[in-house]
Amino acid sequence: MCDSTNATPREAAESAPRAVEGAAVDPISLVPVDEVRITTLVDNTFDALLTSDARATRTGFGPAATPVGVFEAGHTSVGLMAEHGFSALLTVRRGERETTLLFDSGLSPTAMVSNADRLEIDLTTIQGVVLSHGHFDHAGGLAGMAGRLGPNKMPMVLHPEVWTRRRLLSPGGEYEMPTLSRRALTGEGFDVIERRQPSLLVDGSVLITGEIDRTTDFEHGMPAHHQAWTGAEWRHDPLVIDDQAIVVHLRGHGLVVLTGCGHAGVVNILRHAQRLTSVDRVHAVIGGLHLSGPAFEPVIAPTVAALTELAPQLIAPGHCTGWRAQHTLAAALPNAWLPSSSGTTYHLTST
């Protein structure tokens, strides 16, 4: 998905950063929270040997309860599922009150719900769903989620461009990605809420960024082979304009930012969050940073430099970040960087 190709002048202009200076004209007052817990339900990796610490609880192999006839006892232990997709649970606590949202749902209909079962998470207790963007590796698990909800309605916040048809071109041909269906989602019981602008959820303590300002001079988005159908023609889609993130203000520590793929560029996302909230300090960054592949590897150095300057206390890149970026981030931010893995819960508290 990330091979570089030559872009036309028009395509280059479309992906150029837009200058945005100063504080937001109407800054958002994001209510601070006392605790944030983020559980990675689906990621590209699962490592059962990772050890827990004060910041992250890891999941290893479960009990030997899965029937497999090749073993003497007829059972074996299994871990969690990993796939090229991303899904996370976000729980925020304000005083004694907790609220949990699902952010993306992974690639397949089964991985997210299967991992939730193994983690003993009841998906019917979730209060809402947020979709980072319309790519299929973040939305496939909605089918499994719908099966758990039954007749219950579930609010879902997303950008109206998630329904966009998209394809990838390669020397071997073209691949049209599965496109989300609004009719199907509403038929499954999701109450779809389309928003281009920032949204405040959970009594003003969870911010959905909406469309993200592109202000850096190095995060140019998807290469020319990523295209969208306009209704009349296929056209280069560099921005993936429906890409959005979740932002929470952890009391006394700063912003906690959760990304899906980070197609807008993680530095653009963080600066946008700072500008919207007027909170300068970035405490934690978790999720996909989309720095994998030839088209994005040149962006690693300036991205890591900017993240080093922001100095988050925790950074757990996953999904589409790529191994080169992971190694670079681990070297540059050794005290903040944590490896991501399906089944990890990150604990962030105001104390």
Side-chain angles (χ1 to χ4, degrees):
M1 290 179 64
C2 302
D3 294 335
S4 60
T5 54
N6 294 325
T8 66
R10 183 188 69 181
E11 291 166 340
E14 288 176 348
S15 65
R18 294 175 286 154
V20 178
E21 299 179 355
V25 174
D26 187 15
I28 293 171
S29 180
L30 187 58
V31 177
V33 303
D34 300 304
E35 181 182 4
V36 180
R37 298 193 306 275
I38 296 173
T39 298
T40 305
L41 288 178
V42 177
D43 204 349
N44 289 36
T45 61
F46 170 68
D47 187 345
L49 302 181
L50 289 173
T51 57
S52 302
D53 59 22
R55 296 182 296 174
T57 299
R58 306 294 191 172
T59 299
F61 296 115
T66 301
V68 177
V70 300
F71 297 103
E72 289 284 354
H75 295 80
T76 190
S77 297
V78 296
L80 298 185
M81 297 179 69
E83 61 183 13
H84 185 87
F86 187 74
S87 177
L89 280 184
L90 169 73
T91 298
V92 296
R93 179 177 63 81
R94 305 157 318 286
E96 299 300 318
R97 182 179 179 186
E98 289 192 349
T99 304
T100 299
L101 302 173
L102 178 69
F103 183 62
D104 290 349
S105 64
L107 174 72
S108 69
T110 56
M112 187 264 288
V113 293
S114 174
N115 287 349
D117 287 344
R118 294 179 189 176
L119 293 168
E120 298 183 338
I121 294 171
D122 182 359
L123 295 175
T124 64
T125 63
I126 295 169
Q127 284 97 331
V129 179
V130 178
L131 202 60
S132 67
H133 64 298
H135 281 165
F136 64 102
D137 51 333
H138 295 254
L142 294 174
M145 176 73 172
R148 294 299 175 86
L149 293 178
N152 299 322
K153 286 282 187 179
M154 177 69 69
M156 177 187 293
V157 179
L158 47 74
H159 188 285
E161 296 301 321
V162 301
W163 321 115
T164 303
R165 286 177 59 194
R166 290 178 168 119
R167 70 177 184 179
L168 298 170
L169 300 181
S170 70
E174 67 179 58
Y175 169 68
E176 184 167 345
M177 302 182 197
T179 303
L180 271 175
S181 165
R182 193 185 201 285
R183 176 185 53 79
L185 286 180
T186 55
E188 291 283 9
F190 292 104
D191 182 11
V192 174
I193 304 165
E194 298 184 0
R195 290 295 304 273
R196 292 182 181 271
Q197 303 302 319
S199 302
L200 279 174
L201 308 179
V202 193
D203 297 329
S205 62
V206 174
L207 170 65
I208 313 303
T209 60
E211 293 180 10
I212 294 164
D213 292 324
R214 315 301 171 101
T215 59
T216 69
D217 59 2
F218 55 88
E219 294 171 310
H220 297 296
M222 296 293 283
H225 75 272
H226 180 265
Q227 297 184 338
W229 179 249
T230 66
E233 62 176 340
W234 289 101
R235 183 178 295 180
H236 179 207
D237 178 24
L239 297 181
V240 191
I241 198 63
D242 45 316
D243 183 82
Q244 53 187 353
I246 288 182
V247 182
V248 181
H249 184 189
L250 181 62
R251 190 186 311 278
H253 291 272
L255 300 178
V256 176
V257 180
L258 178 60
T259 68
C261 264
H263 284 296
V266 64
V267 181
N268 279 329
I269 292 169
L270 296 179
R271 291 178 180 175
H272 185 74
Q274 290 172 314
R275 182 169 177 270
L276 284 179
T277 63
S278 297
V279 177
D280 291 332
R281 189 175 176 185
V282 175
H283 182 66
V285 182
I286 297 170
L289 306 189
H290 214 289
L291 294 170
S292 180
F296 294 95
E297 287 171 1
V299 182
I300 293 174
T303 298
V304 173
L307 288 172
T308 302
E309 184 175 350
L310 288 167
Q313 296 301 296
L314 185 150
I315 181 165
H319 184 36
C320 51
T321 301
W323 69 269
R324 291 185 188 275
Q326 293 280 18
H327 281 266
T328 307
L329 285 163
L333 295 162
N335 296 323
W337 179 84
L338 287 178
S340 183
S341 175
S342 292
T344 298
T345 297
Y346 303 97
H347 304 269
L348 305 168
T349 61
S350 60
T351 56

